[in-house]
Amino acid sequence: MGAAGESIGDEAAGREELWLHIAARLRRYRGAGGAPDAGVIEPPPAEDGEDAAACKLRWSPGRLEAMLDSLPAATLYPDLVKRVGPVLRRWYHRFSPSVWSRLVRIADSGVGRTRRLPKILKEFNEAAPVLARLLQWLEESHAAGEQAADVVDLCSGFGFLAMFVSELAPAGSIECIYLVDQSWPNKSNGSAGLISTSHIYESGSWRIPLVTLKIDLGKGGDIRGLARHVLAEARPTLLLGIHLCGALSLRACQIFNDGVSGGFGVTGLILAPCCLPTHQ
């Protein structure tokens, strides 16, 4: 790439970093009782002046699959990576350009940011160990003739992990997948969110139903609501916690332990924290 191309890339990265900074400040402001929700924050275009249609043409499934082979997940979970390629192709044809552009915007943290990886690849690479273990559980339980389970994705964010599970889980092994995050909108009470649900509810049906729940794991009332309306079901329930920060990992363990001791259907937890609480 020439100097002009590098300049454009640097400018795009700078705009993305600025947008993330503004979004983070807005979240903190709202959390402190500031301004009410102003609606869903959408990410900036992938490139300067590039519309969603051009972005979709630039990030084809073939290009993404070629990048998949360079990820650590390709070495550690080669069979899983082979199954993801067809999923990317289906999503490419299924999602509108505006939704697809959200999936392929450059990741904003970690190796994904330094390597300029599209968000969808960065998230898959980091979720691969959890995804592989979950699929193993589901395949074993389904082969044993056990009842279909519910899956609860704690602090789901955009929902990449749940989306991949919906596509890859054995048929009949999951009843429903719940995406739990404080950033989802809640139409029942008019609360807007920081994450648009257009990829969940406005882009065709999912192979296994996905349901978003606006729940703050830092609030006891929200956790009790989750337990009462989801975890209390007799159906086997598997909890997923990936990228949980600090005390949120302890919350995930608490939810699992309370679900087991309370006689709920909670049967498993897969936890991959971002960081753990300090001694303080």
Side-chain angles (χ1 to χ4, degrees):
M1 179 183 293
E6 292 177 351
S7 175
I8 292 175
D10 291 342
E11 291 175 5
R15 284 195 310 277
E16 182 171 87
E17 184 173 3
L18 175 61
W19 174 82
L20 289 166
H21 174 69
I22 293 173
R25 288 188 61 186
L26 181 56
R27 284 195 293 271
R28 289 197 297 270
Y29 181 54
R30 290 173 178 167
D37 286 332
V40 172
I41 299 176
E42 295 288 355
E47 295 286 352
D48 187 23
E50 180 182 54
D51 60 18
C55 177
K56 187 168 186 178
L57 288 174
R58 188 165 56 87
W59 287 107
S60 66
R63 183 179 182 186
L64 294 176
E65 288 182 71
M67 296 181 73
L68 264 178
D69 292 336
S70 69
L71 300 178
T75 301
L76 298 171
Y77 306 98
D79 293 338
L80 180 60
V81 169
K82 289 179 182 178
R83 298 180 62 190
V84 167
V87 172
L88 296 178
R89 292 193 292 272
R90 288 196 296 272
W91 287 353
Y92 182 81
H93 294 293
R94 170 181 172 179
F95 291 131
S96 67
S98 61
V99 170
W100 183 256
S101 66
R102 295 171 64 200
L103 272 64
V104 298
R105 71 180 182 86
I106 299 302
D108 50 53
S109 62
V111 175
R113 180 174 181 177
T114 57
R115 292 186 56 185
R116 304 288 292 166
L117 289 176
K119 189 80 169 179
I120 191 171
L121 298 187
K122 179 257 189 188
E123 293 293 328
F124 166 74
N125 187 63
E126 295 178 355
V130 172
L131 184 57
R133 185 68 182 96
L134 175 65
L135 294 177
Q136 181 184 351
W137 272 359
L138 294 170
E139 289 163 1
E140 292 172 352
S141 63
H142 187 59
E146 297 178 4
Q147 181 183 5
D150 281 340
V151 171
V152 179
D153 186 2
L154 301 172
C155 297
S156 65
F158 186 84
F160 285 108
L161 175 58
M163 292 161 62
F164 280 119
V165 173
S166 179
E167 294 282 358
L168 299 174
S173 64
I174 299 178
E175 185 74 20
C176 184
I177 303 173
Y178 295 94
L179 291 76
V180 172
D181 201 285
Q182 64 177 338
S183 295
W184 293 118
N186 185 347
K187 293 183 179 179
S188 65
N189 62 12
S191 174
L194 297 174
I195 307 175
S196 167
T197 58
S198 59
H199 59 301
I200 304 296
Y201 298 126
E202 301 169 20
S203 301
S205 61
W206 289 91
R207 179 172 167 270
I208 297 171
L210 302 181
V211 176
T212 60
L213 298 175
K214 185 179 181 67
I215 290 177
D216 185 350
L217 295 187
K219 296 180 179 179
D222 282 13
I223 292 179
R224 289 190 291 272
L226 175 66
R228 183 169 59 252
H229 296 295
V230 177
L231 305 183
E233 294 282 340
R235 181 182 299 110
T237 303
L238 303 174
L239 306 179
L240 309 180
I242 152 180
H243 295 161
L244 299 188
C245 296
L248 290 176
S249 293
L250 300 182
R251 283 288 194 177
C253 293
Q254 174 193 346
I255 292 170
F256 172 76
N257 290 332
D258 289 349
V260 173
S261 62
F264 297 165
V266 177
T267 56
L269 165 66
I270 305 179
L271 183 63
C274 166
C275 57
L276 295 174
T278 63
H279 290 297
Q280 290 80 7

